Amino acid sequence: MTDALDALTAAGVEAVAVDSFGPATIDVPAAAWVAAHEVLRDGVGFTFFDFLSASDELTDGFRVVTHLADFWGGAHVDHVLVRTLIPRAAPQLATLSDLYAGANWHERETCEMFGITFEGHPNLVPLLLPDGFEGNPLRKEFILAARVAKPWPGAKEPGESDHAPAGGAPSRRRTLPPGVPDPDSWGPRPPGSPDPDPLAPAQAAATPARPRRGAPGERRTKKQAEPTPPPETPQNATPDPPADPATPEDSSS
């Protein structure tokens, strides 16, 4: 990580180390996307390209990430994740296919799944989706219409789908299957009505429904600290008679 940051800084790239699980992670500006990968490949030794993908960050835009590796000393491998953030309104990024041949089809997949255009790509055509498919399935505002029209097979609570037994108790809280928005925010609308916000269902799903409880360790410690109340005597129970005092022996015996 130190060598990568020093090399990027020396090349004029504003790189920032990010705390994350797994490999070391570096954030770079979108304008320096290609330059950063060129420095990491030629100056640091990350010659192996593993994958390129993206994540939908809602109003923040799309975060594009690559995984690079450097094999040295036999079985020793160094890993790094390189990320950048691009706006949602015009998701464009320069292609890495000239630096890493493996980025070619990864960028094609990311383009059709997220709608991100990779400028300079030699053949940015659909890779996985059928001809005529409309939309980008991995965007969070993409509606899974099949789950609206068909019963949800993953229902766990009674009454959440047609698979629930007849006469069963209703669910305490009705929930929609993943990918199915509220009917008020999607579907046919009367003429002249305003269009709904396409990100509203995704933002609602990303907001926790209720505050999280305290940590389990805190609850356990609190319970152990509470005194144990004495056992209560039932109201109708007859108290045991006091023990008879010791009877003195009969002097006549």
Side-chain angles (χ1 to χ4, degrees):
M1 170 65 80
T2 303
D3 294 341
L5 289 176
D6 292 343
L8 291 171
T9 302
V13 178
E14 299 178 0
V16 178
V18 181
D19 293 334
S20 64
F21 296 101
T25 304
I26 299 176
D27 281 353
V28 299
W33 181 245
V34 176
H37 284 80
E38 188 173 4
V39 171
L40 293 174
R41 185 195 67 174
D42 300 336
V44 186
F46 288 99
T47 58
F48 182 82
F49 177 90
D50 187 16
F51 67 81
L52 179 147
S53 187
S55 62
D56 189 346
E57 304 295 335
L58 297 176
T59 56
D60 292 337
F62 297 99
R63 193 176 302 278
V64 183
V65 57
T66 59
H67 178 215
L68 310 177
D70 175 20
F71 295 89
W72 61 276
H76 297 283
V77 183
D78 287 336
H79 302 266
V80 65
L81 295 178
V82 187
R83 309 187 312 178
T84 192
L85 194 65
I86 57 178
R88 191 178 198 91
Q92 297 180 355
L93 195 63
T95 181
L96 296 177
S97 57
D98 293 336
L99 294 177
Y100 296 101
N104 188 308
W105 73 267
H106 285 266
E107 291 177 347
R108 290 173 56 189
E109 179 187 21
T110 305
C111 176
E112 62 180 343
M113 293 297 176
F114 291 93
I116 300 174
T117 301
F118 292 89
E119 298 177 343
H121 192 283
N123 189 32
L124 201 61
V125 297
L127 177 70
L128 302 175
L129 299 176
D131 295 338
F133 188 91
E134 297 181 1
N136 308 108
L138 292 187
R139 286 195 175 197
K140 290 184 177 179
E141 76 267 21
F142 186 81
I143 304 301
L144 301 178
R147 291 192 174 179
V148 179
K150 298 180 181 180
W152 184 32
K156 299 298 183 182
E157 297 290 337
E160 282 191 355
S161 74
D162 295 343
H163 299 281
S171 172
R172 290 178 297 176
R173 184 183 64 177
R174 298 294 298 274
T175 59
L176 292 172
V180 178
D182 187 89
D184 295 336
S185 61
W186 179 76
R189 313 183 71 79
S193 60
D195 293 333
D197 183 5
L199 292 182
Q203 290 174 332
T207 304
R210 55 185 177 182
R212 298 180 60 185
R213 299 178 180 177
E218 297 177 359
R219 297 198 303 270
R220 189 180 301 112
T221 303
K222 187 175 181 180
K223 288 184 178 180
Q224 291 177 353
E226 295 177 356
T228 303
E232 298 180 358
T233 304
Q235 297 180 357
N236 298 329
T238 303
D240 296 334
D244 295 336
T247 303
E249 297 182 358
D250 189 359
S251 58
S252 60
S253 57

